Amino acid sequence: MITGLESRGQRAIAEDWNLRNFGRNYNLSESMLARTLYDGILKIGNEGITEIPSIKLIGRGKSSER
């Protein structure tokens, strides 16, 4: 799975894909995977879903932890 995601990411960069935000259905509970990744590891909360993924976004989340 990780290799597949990495390949798609590299392809998106190489082909200059137009990325857009993802809208979460707030009528459903947040998955434990999303909570662990966005809150616990990356420290970016809902921005992991509402913003386009980037190193800048991840850096902003980790710096607010300090």
Side-chain angles (χ1 to χ4, degrees):
M1 172 139 182
I2 292 174
T3 304
L5 292 173
E6 182 179 15
S7 297
R8 287 193 71 162
Q10 290 173 349
R11 185 173 164 206
I13 291 168
E15 297 177 7
D16 196 27
W17 289 1
N18 183 21
L19 302 178
R20 57 192 163 111
N21 296 349
F22 174 80
R24 180 170 96 73
N25 183 347
Y26 287 94
N27 293 322
L28 302 173
S29 61
E30 183 179 26
S31 73
M32 290 304 298
L33 176 62
R35 183 173 296 154
T36 301
L37 177 62
Y38 299 133
D39 295 343
I41 298 171
L42 299 176
K43 310 286 189 212
I44 58 176
N46 282 336
E47 287 182 293
I49 296 171
T50 60
E51 302 291 324
I52 295 172
S54 69
I55 297 298
K56 183 179 176 182
L57 176 64
I58 294 168
R60 193 169 65 216
K62 288 184 176 181
S63 65
S64 67
E65 172 188 352
R66 295 179 190 150

